[in-house]
């Protein structure tokens, strides 16, 4: 672990206490979404489309309703008519009509697995059997499975009235001719003088890339239990990253007031962005309304793959030039991302983030969002950024090679720093980009000789994620024993209870163990945004800090009352409240808490924060690979992952985020993909065939934490959850080149494609696209 | 629906009798009938190991075993790993090493790792990785899990 700036010493922040919720999780006592059992509970199952694109002509549910044990069936006809209302959902906006239609298809099904109807029965087996008794007549339509087919003239249109929204530099582009299309939007950023930039270039590299959709792969399937009482009150027990977002979506889709919906967060078994949108809640709610019973619905793993959000597949083109001494001249990037069945891929973020590590002055960047007949994409860890980074970091590696420059020297020469304007025109704040790059360059791994043997290579890549702030709330209640209960609305997906509790403890001068964190339902805490965007330890941390400061203020007043002095006469130091007028008089929080009832009653405080300076995160990876040229298998020999955490609140869980992000990136690089056959069906919708990394596929992942404090947080924290997934794909790809001489332009770089690339290189003597000049 | 069958088994050191439909998996009966929800369902097709339990000392994906097959067997689930006043060294080392993030795979990993350490208390890193390859974790990248198992070996 590395610290690049001297900071005041913290007592709690930066230590590694055992997480408060850990014991229940290692003993099996913790209650997750699927562990909900309620009196009279029914079980729901979903009928899904067998076709990638079809018009629903009719649905006959009468057969299912005759089966003993079946209590109700719902279709889209049972949901209120939706308008195109937009809601804010964490890292992205969402259209409620589209979310509702994704939950239950209205007139068309847009992908294989699209929900058509749902059944509630007294057992999950009966509900499943009843699905076969629902008769749906489809008019099968042509379908498109990738961005290039979707853009072809005459391609079948998923949404017949959709017109491309053309945006230039953040504003509507009136010059762009648009018509009905599967391209929902085309965003473009132009700056500088690209024509001149190409003329000034000593080297220009122009390349093209293709990636496939990949799934977040959380181990816990989507699950919900909904109870709709006759008085209109709806309770949802679910596993979500965003309780208030579920409340908002459910209320909008069901057209009930938000205050009538209470969302109770169960422990969540992973999300990575995929558990923000609702999938099951509208159907479960309508089934509960019809039956008067709570209804529980759990997806199968196949349903998770086929009907919850992966992230985008893509087609990308990049042209970049540099002067002889390695300064980037021109930057042209074209990104086309699959959105799945409804608009809303993270393509704009892919365009902005992948450019953010570098000074880019002459540029033309386009980002196209394109609907295809696949499940609607959902957020996935730094949405869009890893895809764009694959194109950018791969192309820059080739540029550095052509210049004969060390890849990190090349990056450092072009590194963005505080004040550098991004392609959007917005300047970067205080960032650790150069510090991360420098750490990579100086790291023993980077300086070490390559492992001995043939077909071994080393690669590097960078990554960027902007991180978000947003609103969070926290409440603190001082207990008579001196401990403090901490209530927040932030679902704990990977150790944020402890990371937030530590921040309150730091302010109060008590141990992390003396703060008792609870994650509350939407009726029991102030509005709190998504556990996503790498925001929780940052923003909910600030809410907890603010509440703790208020508690401290009240305790100072209590101490003043006790000693009959003014609050200004009390000094707080190292957990002690000291009477400045008589410094031998000092009390601990525990002593003050024991006397609360004699000094004015119990001390409580609540706070809500809406911080904006989230502090962007930079990350990098060095990876050594060994490639078997016969089989194309890639073994990872050594992986070092770097990340600027600002200040690591709980270093173990920061390391965990870095390692977890790295390994998701490794899976994306080498194995994972949605493999669709020509009939529009995902052929690998099980973990056996989708093949995420196992423990045997990996070495230890060595995390390096860099700390360039974020001025937007009292302790300097930056978000740490996401950026770790950005660098691995290009880093591994660049390592494969050094091991084999073959350049890869597709993800995943699975054994077959590597054998093919090595073979093609041998046959042609050179790779895709030749360098100009 | 086929008639339910009475099954007698030893569950976490208690002799137990339960009713099961012939088609129900051991996982379903553990969770839905016996309220032992610590055993998790991730895929229900034997690929993630979240539902790992021990049957007569061997680790088994409980989603792949019918509950009626438990007749006469000794079953240990995550709820049977700790003592009343003391965690198993694996549970303790998972806590200390921060070897869990979301925690949904954790019960399966701990039961599977116990299956290894009961047989091979000195397993090396490669052996631990090999043994645990049937358990998927999407949060941690496995690094801290492997370290926690190796640490528990020293405590045992």
């Amino acid at each position: 672990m590395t610290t690049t700036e001297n900071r005041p010493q913290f007592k709690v922040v930066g230590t590694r206490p055992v997480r408060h919720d850990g014991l229940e999780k290692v003993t099996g006592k913790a209650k997750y979404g699927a562990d909900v059992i309620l009196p009279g509970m029914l079980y729901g199952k979903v009928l899904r489309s067998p076709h990638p694109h079809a018009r629903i002509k009719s649905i006959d549910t009468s057969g299912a309703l005759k089966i003993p044990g079946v209590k109700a069936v719902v279709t889209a006809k049972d949901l209120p008519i939706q308008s195109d209302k937009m809601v804010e959902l964490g890292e992205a906006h969402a259209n409620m009509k589209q979310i509702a239609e994704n939950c239950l298809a209205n007139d068309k099904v847009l992908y294989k697995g699209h929900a058509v109807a749902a059944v509630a029965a007294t057992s999950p087996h009966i509900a499943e059997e009843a699905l076969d008794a629902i008769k749906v007549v489809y008019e099968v339509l042509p379908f498109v499975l990738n961005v290039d087919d979707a853009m072809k003239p005459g391609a079948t249109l998923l949404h017949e009235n959709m017109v491309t929204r053309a945006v230039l530099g953040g504003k509507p582009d009136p010059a762009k001719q648009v018509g009905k299309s599967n391209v929902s939007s085309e965003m473009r950023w132009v700056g500088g003088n690209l024509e001149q930039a190409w003329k000034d270039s000593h080297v220009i590299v122009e390349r093209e890339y293709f990636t496939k959709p990949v799934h977040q792969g959380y181990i816990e399937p989507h699950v919900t239990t909904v109870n709709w009482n006759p008085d209109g009150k709806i309770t949802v027990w679910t596993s979500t990253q965003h309780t208030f977002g579920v409340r908002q979506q459910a209320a909008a889709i069901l057209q009930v007031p938000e205050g009538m919906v209470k969302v109770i967060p169960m422990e969540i078994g992973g999300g990575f962005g995929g558990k923000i949108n609702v999938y099951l809640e509208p159907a479960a709610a309508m089934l509960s309304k019809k039956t008067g019973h709570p209804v529980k619905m759990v997806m199968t793993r196949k349903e998770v793959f086929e009907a919850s959000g992966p992230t985008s597949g893509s087609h990308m083109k990049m042209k970049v030039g540099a002067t002889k001494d390695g300064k980037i001249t021109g930057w042209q990037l074209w990104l086309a991302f699959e959105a799945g069945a409804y608009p809303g891929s993270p393509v704009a973020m892919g365009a902005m983030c992948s450019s953010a590590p570098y000074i880019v002055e002459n540029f033309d960047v386009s980002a196209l969002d394109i609907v295809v007949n696949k499940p609607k994409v959902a957020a996935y860890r730094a949405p869009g950024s890893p895809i764009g980074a694959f194109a950018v970091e791969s192309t820059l590696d080739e540029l550095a090679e052509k210049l004969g420059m060390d890849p990190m020297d090349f990056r450092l020469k072009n590194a963005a720093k505080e004040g550098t304007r991004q392609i959007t025109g917005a300047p970067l704040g205080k960032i650790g980009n150069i510090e991360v790059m420098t750490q990579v360059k100086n790291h023993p791994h980077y300086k070490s000789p390559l492992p001995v043997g043939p077909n071994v290579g080393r690669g590097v890549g960078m990554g960027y994620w902007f991180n978000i702030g947003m609103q969070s709330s926290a409440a603190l209640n001082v207990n008579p024993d001196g401990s403090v209960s901490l209530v927040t609305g932030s679902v704990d997906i990977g150790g944020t209870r402890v990371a937030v509790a530590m921040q309150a403890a730091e302010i109060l001068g008590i141990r992390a163990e003396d703060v008792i964190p609870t994650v509350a339902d939407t009726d029991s805490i102030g509005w709190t945004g998504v556990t996503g965007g790498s925001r929780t330890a940052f923003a909910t941390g600030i809410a907890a800090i603010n509440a703790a400061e208020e508690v401290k203020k009240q305790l100072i007043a209590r101490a003043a009352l006790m000693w009959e002095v003014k609050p200004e006469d009390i000094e707080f130091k190292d957990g002690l409240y000291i009477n400045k007028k008589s410094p031998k008089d000092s009390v601990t929080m525990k002593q003050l808490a024991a006397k609360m009832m004699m000094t004015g009653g119990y001390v409580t405080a609540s706070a809500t924060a809406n911080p904006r300076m989230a502090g962007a995160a930079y990350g990098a990876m060095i990876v050594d690979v060994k490639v078997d040229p016969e089989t194309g298998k890639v073994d990872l020999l050594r992986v070092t992952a770097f990340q600027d955490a600002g200040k690591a609140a709980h270093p173990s869980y920061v390391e965990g985020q870095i390692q977890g992000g790295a390994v998701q990136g490794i899976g994306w690089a080498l194995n994972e993909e949605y493999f669709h056959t020509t009939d529009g069906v995902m052929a690998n919708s099980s973990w056996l065939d989708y093949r995420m990394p196992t423990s045997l596929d990996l070495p230890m992942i060595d995390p390096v934490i860099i700390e360039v404090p974020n001025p937007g947080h009292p302790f300097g924290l930056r978000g740490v959850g996401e950026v770790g997934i950005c660098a691995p794909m290009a880093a591994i790809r660049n390592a494969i080149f050094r091991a084999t001489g073959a350049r890869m332009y597709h993800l995943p770089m699975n054994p077959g494609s590597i054998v093919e690339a090595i073979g093609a290189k041998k046959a042609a003597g050179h790779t895709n696209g030749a360098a100009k000049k | 629906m086929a008639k339910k069958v009475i099954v007698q088994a030893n569950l976490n050191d208690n002799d137990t009798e339960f009713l099961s439909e012939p088609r129900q998996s051991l996982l379903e009966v553990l969770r839905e009938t016996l309220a032992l929800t610590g055993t998790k369902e991730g895929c229900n097709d034997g690929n993630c190991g979240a539902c790992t339990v021990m049957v007569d000392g061997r680790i088994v994906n409980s989603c792949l075993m019918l509950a009626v097959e438990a007749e006469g067997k000794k079953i240990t689930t995550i709820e049977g790993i700790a003592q009343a006043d003391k965690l198993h060294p694996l549970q303790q080392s998972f806590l200390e090493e921060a070897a869990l993030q979301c925690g949904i795979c954790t019960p399966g990993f701990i039961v599977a790792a116990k299956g290894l350490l009961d047989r091979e208390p000195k397993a090396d890193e490669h052996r631990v990785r090999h043994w645990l390859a049937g358990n998927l974790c999407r949060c941690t990248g496995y690094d801290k899990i492997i370290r926690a198992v190796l640490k528990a070996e020293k405590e045992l």
Side-chain angles (χ1 to χ4, degrees), chain A residues 18-19 22-23 25-28 30-32 34-35 37 43 125-126 129 215-221 268-270 272 296 301 380 493-494 652-653 655-657 659-660 663-664 672 686-688 692-696 698-701, chain B residues 1 21 23-24 28 31-32 35 37-38 40-43 45 47-48 50 78-79 82 87 91 94-96 98-107 110 125-126 128-130 132-133 136-144 146-147 150:
Chain A
V18 167
R19 64 193 280 176
L23 191 137
K25 285 176 177 164
V26 300
T27 52
K31 290 282 200 188
Y32 290 75
D35 303 335
I37 297 173
Y43 298 83
H125 300 286
I126 295 172
E129 285 164 2
H215 199 272
Q216 295 82 348
Y218 30 80
I219 306 298
E220 179 200 41
I268 179 170
F272 314 106
K296 175 170 163 180
R301 182 53 48 182
Y380 179 21
I493 208 158
S652 295
Y653 288 98
E655 290 163 2
Q657 291 298 320
Q659 292 164 331
V663 168
Q664 284 187 317
E672 295 178 34
S686 79
W687 271 328
L688 183 65
M692 305 197 305
T694 72
S695 53
L696 194 57
L698 298 160
M700 293 296 186
I701 311 293
Chain B
M1 196 194 301
E21 291 177 43
R23 67 178 170 184
Q24 285 184 297
E28 184 182 345
R31 290 180 50 82
E32 304 286 331
T37 53
K40 301 300 180 193
E41 178 181 324
C43 65
D45 55 13
N47 285 304
C48 76
I78 185 66
E79 290 90 347
L87 293 178
Q91 293 170 315
F94 267 61
L95 289 180
E96 289 166 4
L100 61 149
Q101 285 179 33
C102 82
I104 195 92
C105 71
T106 309
I110 287 174
E125 182 193 332
H126 181 79
V128 174
R129 286 187 179 276
H130 187 266
L132 294 178
L136 292 177
C137 169
R138 191 61 158 175
C139 295
T140 64
Y142 303 101
D143 185 302
K144 292 185 188 299
I146 304 300
R147 288 179 199 278
L150 294 171

Side-chain angles (χ1 to χ4, degrees), chain A residues 25-365:
Chain A
K25 285 176 177 164
V26 300
T27 52
K29 290 176 184 172
K31 290 282 200 188
Y32 290 75
D35 303 335
V36 172
I37 297 173
L38 296 171
M41 188 171 84
L42 301 173
Y43 298 83
K45 285 281 175 186
V46 176
L47 179 69
R48 297 183 181 277
S49 168
H51 307 295
H53 195 190
R55 201 170 297 285
I56 300 171
K57 305 297 283 184
S58 65
I59 305 175
D60 178 4
T61 61
S62 58
L65 287 163
K66 284 180 196 143
I67 294 172
V70 172
K71 298 297 176 188
V73 182
V74 294
T75 67
K77 299 279 175 286
D78 293 291
L79 291 176
I81 309 279
Q82 298 295 321
S83 61
D84 283 299
K85 183 185 169 191
M86 298 300 287
V87 296
E88 169 71 44
L89 283 176
E91 287 167 313
H93 294 273
N95 175 311
M96 284 319 304
K97 182 169 191 282
Q98 291 165 0
I99 291 181
E101 289 183 3
N102 196 32
C103 293
L104 278 170
N106 199 358
D107 57 334
K108 286 214 304 187
V109 288
L110 298 172
Y111 54 95
K112 200 257 174 190
H114 198 160
V116 172
V119 174
T122 50
S123 97
H125 300 286
I126 295 172
E128 198 173 346
E129 285 164 2
L131 299 179
D132 291 339
I134 299 172
K135 300 295 171 219
V136 186
V137 179
Y138 294 101
E139 177 196 340
V140 175
L141 301 169
F143 55 88
V144 287
L145 291 177
N146 61 57
V147 292
D148 295 308
D149 287 346
M151 283 190 288
K152 279 182 187 153
T156 189
L157 295 177
L158 277 77
H159 306 282
E160 283 94 350
N161 295 316
M162 193 168 80
V163 174
T164 307
R165 188 168 56 91
V167 179
L168 178 64
K171 297 189 178 104
D173 182 2
K176 183 96 188 168
Q177 292 293 317
V178 292
K180 287 181 181 172
S181 166
N182 287 320
V183 181
S184 89
S185 65
E186 180 171 352
M187 280 158 281
R188 194 166 167 221
W189 299 268
V190 179
N193 185 341
L194 204 52
E195 285 302 311
Q196 188 59 43
W198 301 137
K199 285 181 195 153
D200 296 342
S201 301
H202 176 67
V203 179
I204 296 174
V205 177
E206 192 169 0
R207 295 289 182 265
E208 197 167 354
Y209 302 89
F210 297 87
T211 72
K212 293 290 191 66
V214 292
H215 199 272
Q216 295 82 348
Y218 30 80
I219 306 298
E220 179 200 41
H222 291 269
V223 52
T224 198
T225 307
V226 182
N227 183 57
W228 191 326
N229 276 338
D231 62 1
K233 287 192 178 136
I234 299 170
T235 307
V236 181
W237 293 259
T238 190
S239 161
T240 178
Q241 293 173 242
H242 192 3
T243 52
F244 285 89
V246 170
R247 184 177 79 160
Q248 188 178 20
Q249 293 171 78
I253 292 171
L254 302 168
Q255 294 187 3
V256 299
E258 275 191 48
M260 296 299 272
V261 182
K262 171 175 172 172
V263 178
I264 300 177
M266 307 304 295
E267 295 298 339
I268 179 170
F272 314 106
K275 289 181 182 165
I276 301 172
N277 285 356
V278 296
Y279 295 99
L280 300 169
E281 279 78 8
M286 293 313 298
L287 289 168
S288 178
K289 188 181 189 189
K290 279 192 172 185
T291 60
H293 290 274
V295 175
K296 175 170 163 180
M297 299 178 82
V298 190
M299 281 195 196
T300 63
R301 182 53 48 182
K302 188 178 175 66
E303 287 178 292
V304 173
F305 274 117
E306 290 189 342
S308 72
T311 192
S312 302
S314 72
H315 179 189
M316 300 178 282
K317 297 174 194 174
M318 187 178 193
K319 181 178 175 183
V320 59
T323 60
K324 198 169 188 175
D325 62 349
K327 186 174 182 299
I328 291 172
T329 49
W331 184 277
Q332 196 169 12
L333 189 58
W334 178 89
L335 309 177
F337 279 19
E338 296 173 14
Y342 299 94
S345 76
V347 67
M349 297 193 277
M352 293 186 277
C353 292
S354 56
S355 309
Y358 306 105
I359 298 170
V360 174
E361 286 167 338
N362 306 297
F363 57 88
D364 185 345
V365 177

Side-chain angles (χ1 to χ4, degrees), chain B residues 69-149:
Chain B
E69 294 179 289
E71 176 67 35
K73 300 276 199 281
K74 180 173 165 51
I75 315 281
T76 307
T77 69
I78 185 66
E79 290 90 347
I81 301 290
Q83 293 166 19
D85 58 347
K86 195 167 181 285
L87 293 178
H88 187 275
L90 276 164
Q91 293 170 315
Q92 192 60 39
S93 67
F94 267 61
L95 289 180
E96 289 166 4
E97 294 297 300
L100 61 149
Q101 285 179 33
C102 82
I104 195 92
C105 71
T106 309
F109 267 99
I110 287 174
V111 174
K114 182 172 185 299
L116 172 64
L117 300 195
D118 285 353
R119 283 150 201 262
E120 302 173 38
K122 306 252 182 261
D124 65 7
E125 182 193 332
H126 181 79
R127 180 63 177 146
V128 174
R129 286 187 179 276
H130 187 266
W131 182 274
L132 294 178
N135 291 74
L136 292 177
C137 169
R138 191 61 158 175
C139 295
T140 64
Y142 303 101
D143 185 302
K144 292 185 188 299
I145 292 176
I146 304 300
R147 288 179 199 278
V149 174

